[in-house]
Amino acid sequence: MHAPPRPSPALPRSPSRTPARPVAIRTGLLLAAVFGVLLALVACAWEPLVSLDRYVAQGLHPVAVEHHGWTRCVRVLSDWLWDPWTMRAALAVAVLWLARRRDWLLCAWIAGTSALGTALQQGLKAAVGRARPSWPDPVATAHYAAFPSGHALTATVTCGLLVWLLWRHGVRAAGLRAALAAGAVSVLGVGFTRLYLGVHWLSDVVGGWLLGGALVAVSAALFETLAGRRATEAEGAS
């Protein structure tokens, strides 16, 4: 008698991390919904929000005017380290690395997500047309309309995408925690610098964080879904 055939070994799990997809999409939709509420309040100039914005701005501006050395340091952080073009350059390095690995889909996805963030930011600025804080003794200047903060949005998108890439490529827990900490410092830090320099209202910064976080979460979830389907099709064809 022949021995019964052994069951074939289970196929390896897709790197798309299926359980994380629902969490990411729910998080993205929640952030988008909160951003939508904030956008409506900004557009209608809701008085409690306007008062809060003014309170924060008027509390920080005298400190920036008085402490020249600290203000110069904050300007370096805002204009160089956490400038949107610096953030985009960091993301470009990741895109080039993916291109060298011939991971063309993920390469295009990261670049497209970053470009979409910039387009959303500029489109909303033009549509809302919110004025920036105005001071008789400004310590910094900025262009375009105020809402949402481009610095905050770009830092959130860049750091979020980079952390997601590290997670996707199996970076160890210690490295991932370090990346999360660096990303959190960058996202929160750039928001503080824009408020301290008096070029944004608090709700501008929060709006940038919310929209950037929503974009990253939804983009990552959609990519993982697509990658999961491609892996399933490849396994079925083999």
Side-chain angles (χ1 to χ4, degrees):
M1 294 180 62
H2 295 287
R6 296 181 181 180
S8 58
L11 293 172
R13 293 186 63 187
S14 166
S16 57
R17 319 276 181 104
T18 303
R21 292 182 216 161
V23 175
I25 197 69
R26 284 197 296 268
T27 300
L29 293 176
L30 176 61
L31 292 174
V34 176
F35 174 79
V37 172
L38 180 61
L39 173 61
L41 296 178
V42 169
C44 70
W46 190 50
E47 184 55 36
L49 180 63
V50 172
S51 297
L52 175 61
D53 283 337
R54 287 176 178 164
Y55 175 79
V56 173
Q58 291 170 356
L60 286 173
H61 184 67
V63 180
V65 172
E66 182 180 353
H67 296 85
H68 301 285
W70 174 241
T71 300
R72 282 195 296 271
C73 178
V74 171
R75 287 196 62 175
V76 170
L77 291 173
S78 181
D79 296 343
W80 293 96
L81 179 62
W82 292 323
D83 181 77
W85 285 108
T86 305
M87 294 286 103
R88 294 182 188 117
L91 207 54
V93 171
V95 169
L96 290 174
W97 177 74
L98 291 170
R100 288 197 61 180
R101 292 170 57 92
R102 299 184 181 277
D103 194 344
W104 303 117
L105 178 61
L106 187 53
C107 179
W109 201 275
I110 294 295
T113 301
S114 178
L116 179 58
T118 300
L120 287 173
Q121 163 207 317
Q122 294 298 331
L124 285 166
K125 282 179 179 291
V128 177
R130 189 186 203 189
R132 293 178 183 267
S134 178
W135 310 103
D137 51 353
V139 298
T141 58
H143 304 290
Y144 307 111
F147 184 88
S149 166
H151 279 68
L153 188 150
T154 305
T156 304
V157 169
T158 298
C159 294
L161 290 175
L162 290 176
V163 169
W164 172 53
L165 282 176
L166 293 174
W167 174 76
R168 248 199 141 257
H169 285 83
V171 171
R172 293 181 179 179
L176 197 57
R177 283 195 295 268
L180 282 169
V185 169
S186 296
V187 170
L188 295 175
V190 74
F192 171 77
T193 65
R194 304 311 282 168
L195 295 175
Y196 181 89
L197 295 173
V199 293
H200 272 296
W201 306 106
L202 175 62
S203 53
D204 300 336
V205 170
V206 174
W209 287 339
L210 290 171
L211 184 57
L215 179 60
V216 170
V218 171
S219 177
L222 291 177
F223 183 87
E224 297 298 348
T225 300
L226 177 60
R229 289 176 181 171
R230 287 164 64 95
T232 301
E233 292 171 359
E235 290 170 357
S238 60

